[in-house]
Amino acid sequence: MKPKLQFWFEFASTYSYLSAMRIDAVAEGAGVDVVWMPFLLGPVFAKQGLKTSPFLVIPDKYSYMEADIKRLAEERGLQFSIPPNFPQNGLHAARLALIGLEKDWGRDFCRKTYLAQFDEGQDIADKAVLNTVLASCAEDPEAAFAASVTDENKQRLKDRSREVDRLKIFGAPTFITEKGTLFWGDDRLEQAISYALRDA
Amino acid sequence: MKPKLQFWFEFASTYSYLSAMRIDAVAEGAGVDVVWMPFLLGPVFAKQGLKTSPFLVIPDKYSYMEADIKRLAEERGLQFSIPPNFPQNGLHAARLALIGLEKDWGRDFCRKTYLAQFDEGQDIADKAVLNTVLASCAEDPEAAFAASVTDENKQRLKDRSREVDRLKIFGAPTFITEKGTLFWGDDRLEQAISYALRDA
């Protein structure tokens, strides 16, 4: 059994995008299995007294974030621009990701959803956008969509927010090793991988 | 002339401590000159609607910061613990640093002040603590202290806060190249150095 590393991500999160696009390759090279854990940042920020992304509260930090991610994306052969309606509502995408991650198309769906948003400038709150992504990766897109909106699946995402509280997650991306060591931010991914090996 | 990189730091800032202890060595290896720029974060945070360190506003982030810095400090052969009265008042230390950085003892004073706070657990708002640091590095500690509390020197620190606004600095440590490219956080130091060479 390879050591596991949980990858907690939110679709609206710009730094989660950077991690989502590289984590499987980095982890595979190190012999670590990644467990993709979609969640919603909204309730986390609300607990912190915020009604939106913390970047929107501090304009200079928002501008810096954009420049910082553009630099990192360029180094990694990715495109990045702030999408319309930032921060976008990632609710439907997260529900679909929960379904896909139990099948074999989940990670592909996640990466393509991130690209639709941050590379192509589409709005992932739009179900038509998600359906296009879904059609490109899921075997039965209609069944996947239907499964994503059952009460049971909606409850799974809500339950995940309680797990986020319990784990003391305060932002995204967050990486958690099998022993519970927590790392925050794309710039801690390599360190998280090395602790995943150490904590196994 | 070597390319220059400005290093903006606040004495109370835990991540500034990490950078202060390594920036000269990293920059020297790359052929870059560091310009040490002490400033106060208080007015920056006040502009963001905060009355104290952002870490104190989000308890889970505060706990994470402590664990994160302990890990990084250990890797670098440093000690770290959250000091009493965090965040400490760095006003007197910043005024003294302005004087020292015009002489040859400024960087030594800065590093020893950081160690007094984050390694030895002393309170750098206490003038007796600063006097002990000063005595270990300045040639004429009494003259240095007198120079630090002149109206002229107090005004220099106030003027620096206006420069911080103009440069859109929103946290510490911040690194700025000669062309004005800004990097935030100890984890961007290596990238800042490479841009200092590119922007020269």
Side-chain angles (χ1 to χ4, degrees):
Chain A
M1 288 277 287
K2 287 186 188 174
K4 288 192 193 322
L5 182 68
Q6 290 185 339
F7 166 42
W8 291 80
F9 61 99
E10 143 79 53
F11 280 102
S13 156
T14 53
Y15 286 98
S16 294
Y17 163 55
L18 287 180
S19 293
M21 299 308 291
R22 72 190 185 106
I23 190 167
D24 279 348
V26 176
E28 195 182 346
V32 168
D33 266 345
V34 180
V35 185
W36 288 55
M37 304 290 283
F39 76 108
L40 299 181
L41 272 176
V44 175
F45 291 155
K47 217 180 110 188
Q48 296 169 5
L50 296 173
K51 285 175 189 164
T52 182
S53 161
F55 289 120
L56 294 189
V57 181
I58 307 174
D60 289 343
K61 196 166 182 175
Y62 175 84
S63 308
Y64 171 75
M65 176 270 285
E66 185 176 10
D68 184 49
I69 298 192
K70 273 184 192 289
R71 278 190 294 263
L72 296 169
E74 195 188 344
E75 285 174 13
R76 300 176 190 178
L78 295 171
Q79 300 293 318
F80 173 77
S81 55
I82 301 272
N85 308 325
F86 177 83
Q88 293 186 358
N89 186 330
L91 175 67
H92 298 304
R95 286 178 181 163
L96 282 165
L98 285 179
I99 299 300
L101 289 164
E102 293 193 325
K103 320 245 177 203
D104 61 356
W105 51 270
R107 297 172 189 215
D108 193 25
F109 170 81
C110 291
R111 284 184 289 257
K112 284 178 173 163
T113 300
Y114 275 117
L115 289 171
Q117 185 185 184
F118 294 117
D119 178 335
E120 298 160 25
Q122 302 192 64
D123 189 343
I124 62 164
D126 182 346
K127 287 184 186 170
V129 170
L130 291 176
N131 276 332
T132 304
V133 173
L134 210 51
S136 76
C137 53
E139 221 169 274
D140 187 342
E142 277 181 43
F145 187 82
S148 79
V149 292
T150 60
D151 285 345
E152 189 196 345
N153 196 53
K154 289 178 179 175
Q155 189 59 45
R156 280 172 73 201
L157 194 59
K158 284 184 194 153
D159 290 345
R160 189 148 291 188
S161 281
R162 274 196 285 278
E163 206 177 341
V164 162
D165 268 0
R166 188 182 59 78
L167 293 167
K168 300 181 184 300
I169 290 172
F170 56 87
T174 288
F175 313 102
I176 304 184
T177 70
E178 288 180 53
K179 282 198 182 151
T181 312
L182 183 153
F183 297 88
W184 171 59
D186 177 72
D187 32 35
R188 293 292 183 277
L189 174 57
E190 285 77 7
Q191 197 185 21
I193 297 273
S194 83
Y195 274 75
L197 295 164
R198 187 191 300 195
D199 282 1
Chain B
M1 287 275 288
K2 286 187 191 172
K4 288 192 195 320
L5 182 68
Q6 290 185 342
F7 167 41
W8 291 80
F9 62 98
E10 145 79 53
F11 280 103
S13 155
T14 52
Y15 286 97
S16 294
Y17 162 55
L18 288 181
S19 293
M21 299 308 291
R22 72 191 185 107
I23 190 168
D24 279 348
V26 176
E28 196 182 345
V32 168
D33 265 345
V34 180
V35 185
W36 288 55
M37 305 290 285
F39 77 107
L40 300 181
L41 272 176
V44 174
F45 290 154
K47 217 180 111 189
Q48 296 169 6
L50 296 173
K51 286 177 183 159
T52 182
S53 161
F55 289 119
L56 295 190
V57 181
I58 307 174
D60 289 343
K61 196 167 182 175
Y62 176 85
S63 307
Y64 172 74
M65 177 271 286
E66 185 176 10
D68 184 50
I69 298 193
K70 272 184 193 288
R71 278 189 294 262
L72 296 168
E74 194 187 347
E75 284 175 14
R76 301 176 189 179
L78 294 171
Q79 299 293 318
F80 173 77
S81 54
I82 301 274
N85 307 324
F86 178 81
Q88 294 187 358
N89 186 331
L91 176 66
H92 298 305
R95 285 177 180 163
L96 282 165
L98 284 179
I99 299 300
L101 289 164
E102 292 193 326
K103 319 244 179 204
D104 60 357
W105 51 269
R107 297 172 189 214
D108 192 26
F109 170 81
C110 291
R111 284 185 288 257
K112 284 178 173 163
T113 299
Y114 275 117
L115 289 172
Q117 186 186 181
F118 294 116
D119 177 336
E120 298 160 26
Q122 302 192 63
D123 189 343
I124 62 165
D126 181 346
K127 287 183 185 171
V129 169
L130 291 176
N131 276 333
T132 304
V133 173
L134 209 51
S136 75
C137 52
E139 219 170 274
D140 186 343
E142 277 181 42
F145 187 82
S148 79
V149 293
T150 62
D151 286 346
E152 190 197 344
N153 195 55
K154 290 178 179 175
Q155 189 59 47
R156 282 172 71 200
L157 194 60
K158 284 183 194 155
D159 291 345
R160 189 146 290 189
S161 280
R162 273 196 285 277
E163 207 177 340
V164 161
D165 268 358
R166 188 182 60 77
L167 293 167
K168 301 181 183 297
I169 290 172
F170 55 86
T174 288
F175 313 102
I176 304 183
T177 69
E178 288 180 51
K179 283 199 181 148
T181 311
L182 184 152
F183 297 87
W184 171 59
D186 178 71
D187 33 35
R188 293 292 182 277
L189 175 57
E190 285 77 7
Q191 197 186 22
I193 297 271
S194 82
Y195 273 74
L197 295 165
R198 187 190 302 196
D199 282 0

